[in-house]
Amino acid sequence: MDIIEVINLKKYFACNQSFWGVKRWLKAVDDISFSVKKGGVFSIVGESGSGKSTVARLLLRLITPTSGKILFKGKDIQFFKGDSLKEFRKSIQIIFQDPFASLNPRMTVYDSISEPLKIHRIVHKMEIKNKVVEILNKVGLQADILNRYPHEFSGGQRQRICIARALAISPEIIVADEPLSALDVSIQAQILNILQELQKNSGISFVFISHDLRVVKYFSDEVAVMYLGKIVEKAKTEDIFNKPLHPYTIELLSSIPVIEKHKDKNFQKYNEKLKVEYEAPDIFNETSGCVYSARCNKKIEICNTIQPELKKIEERMISCHLF
C-alpha cells in the first residue's frame, strides 16, 4: 500500500535574469512522479542543486507546488485545512540536515520534545515528562539531559534530540533531509543504526534524502536518482547498485571513494573516475533536450533536441534515449 503518491510534481522559482527584470524560471522540481510504500524506505539521491531538498519541503507542505499532486493516503494534501491539516502535520515529520540550526537555542531538551506532545495532546499533562524520557531512551539518551540546551551537546547528540522530537508524536512518515552529512563518519554510523532500528520496530515510512550512496545502499528499499529537477532513474536498491543503467547513475557510483584493501564488490567496477568533459549544466533547464546531455559521454544526436520520457525498462524507470 502506498502512503504517499507524488504525481507530475513541479516547483518553479522565478528569477530575474538582468537589471531590467527579465524573468526566468528555475525548475527546481520538474515533473516528477513516485510513491512511498507503507513501512518502506524511499531514497532520493543526486548532487547539490538536483532538487532533493525542494521535494522534501513540498512533501511537508512547507512550500506550494507550481503544479502536480501529492496524495497522502489517497487525498491531495493541498486541500487539507483545519483538523485535517493538523492531522497531516502529526503524521509526517522531518529531520533536517543541520541539527544545531533546527533546534531552538533558547529551549531545553525537555521543551523541544514536549512541545509537539502538548500541541497535539498526545498524553496527559502529568505524563509528559515520562513520555519524553521514554522517547529519549529510544535514541540512546538519558533523563539527565532534560534541562540542558542545544549548545551543550555534540553534533551527534543534537541529531539524536532532533530524531526524538520527530518521534514524539508517533508519525507515519519521516522525511530525513541529509540527516548525516553534518556529522563525523563514526557518528553517522550510530545515527544510521538508530534510524534503521526505529524503522524495523515501528514500521515508520522514510523518505531518505542523501548524496552518500553507501548510506543509501545500506538503508533504503527503493532509490530515485535526480538531476536538475528530474528523476533520471528509479529502481529497487539492489538493481541500482548491481546494474545501473543511466549514465548519470554510473557517474555517481564512480565518484564513491574506495579503499583498495576493502573494495566493495558492488562498487568495484565503478570505482575508476570517469573522464568526462562537459559544459556547465543549465540550471534554468531551458533546452528542449535531455537535461544531462551537456555532460553525458554517451549522448547521441537526439539527446540535444528531445527530452527522454521516464519509461519502464527491466523492472525500473529510466529517462534515457539509449534504452
Side-chain angles (χ1 to χ4, degrees), residues 71-85:
L71 305 181
F72 175 69
K73 295 182 177 179
K75 297 179 180 178
D76 192 336
I77 67 172
Q78 293 305 314
F79 295 106
F80 288 165
K81 295 180 180 179
D83 291 340
S84 62
L85 179 57

Side-chain angles (χ1 to χ4, degrees), residues 16-208:
N16 291 332
Q17 181 183 9
S18 65
F19 178 79
W20 292 274
V22 178
K23 185 175 289 187
R24 300 177 74 186
W25 294 95
L26 176 62
K27 300 178 181 180
V29 176
D30 191 11
D31 196 17
I32 69 169
S33 300
F34 63 86
S35 59
V36 182
K37 292 181 172 58
K38 187 173 179 61
V41 180
F42 184 87
S43 290
I44 302 175
V45 302
E47 61 195 55
S48 297
S50 59
K52 307 185 301 297
S53 293
T54 303
V55 173
R57 282 152 179 74
L58 288 166
L59 290 175
L60 278 91
R61 222 184 89 162
L62 298 179
I63 55 177
T64 304
T66 303
S67 65
K69 295 180 180 180
I70 301 173
L71 305 181
F72 175 69
K73 295 182 177 179
K75 297 179 180 178
D76 192 336
I77 67 172
Q78 293 305 314
F79 295 106
F80 288 165
K81 295 180 180 179
D83 291 340
S84 62
L85 179 57
K86 187 176 181 180
E87 186 62 28
F88 172 72
R89 299 289 191 205
K90 177 178 176 291
S91 299
I92 184 167
Q93 292 289 301
I94 187 168
I95 302 170
F96 289 102
Q97 179 176 356
D98 186 347
F100 190 76
S102 59
L103 291 171
N104 189 330
R106 296 187 178 185
M107 294 178 71
T108 64
V109 172
Y110 175 79
D111 293 334
S112 293
I113 299 176
S114 64
E115 186 177 41
L117 295 173
K118 295 173 183 176
I119 292 173
H120 293 280
R121 300 178 181 178
I122 304 296
V123 295
H124 191 272
K125 289 183 179 180
M126 301 297 292
E127 300 174 354
I128 289 179
K129 184 175 180 179
N130 291 335
K131 182 66 174 178
V132 171
V133 172
E134 178 188 335
I135 296 167
L136 285 173
N137 289 338
K138 286 184 179 180
V139 297
L141 297 173
Q142 303 303 317
D144 58 359
I145 69 166
L146 286 177
N147 296 317
R148 293 167 63 184
Y149 290 87
H151 71 272
E152 300 180 64
F153 299 97
S154 66
Q157 289 173 317
R158 285 196 290 263
Q159 195 64 294
R160 288 174 190 240
I161 295 168
C162 292
I163 295 170
R165 183 179 59 183
L167 291 172
I169 51 178
S170 302
E172 296 180 65
I173 306 170
I174 289 180
V175 178
D177 186 6
E178 305 214 31
L180 309 178
S181 61
L183 307 176
D184 293 337
V185 174
S186 58
I187 305 301
Q188 287 182 5
Q190 296 174 21
I191 299 301
L192 187 59
N193 287 335
I194 289 173
L195 294 177
Q196 191 174 48
E197 193 69 22
L198 290 170
Q199 194 272 329
K200 287 181 179 178
N201 294 337
S202 62
I204 297 175
S205 302
F206 274 84
V207 177
F208 190 78

Side-chain angles (χ1 to χ4, degrees), residues 43-52 178 209-217 223-228 230-234 240-258 266-276 278 292 295-298:
S43 290
I44 302 175
V45 302
E47 61 195 55
S48 297
S50 59
K52 307 185 301 297
E178 305 214 31
I209 294 169
S210 179
H211 60 266
D212 190 332
L213 290 174
R214 286 190 177 278
V215 172
V216 167
K217 180 194 172 193
V223 179
V225 181
M226 284 192 70
Y227 182 75
L228 285 186
K230 286 188 174 291
I231 291 178
V232 296
E233 188 168 4
K234 179 166 68 73
I240 286 286
F241 288 95
N242 292 335
K243 189 182 178 183
L245 296 184
H246 196 280
Y248 180 58
T249 309
I250 295 172
E251 185 181 342
L252 282 180
L253 288 172
S254 76
S255 69
I256 299 171
V258 177
N266 291 316
F267 296 107
Q268 189 168 356
K269 56 185 175 180
Y270 306 112
N271 67 348
E272 294 183 3
K273 304 297 184 206
L274 294 178
K275 295 180 179 179
V276 182
Y278 57 87
Y292 187 62
R295 62 192 283 185
C296 183
N297 61 348
K298 298 181 180 179

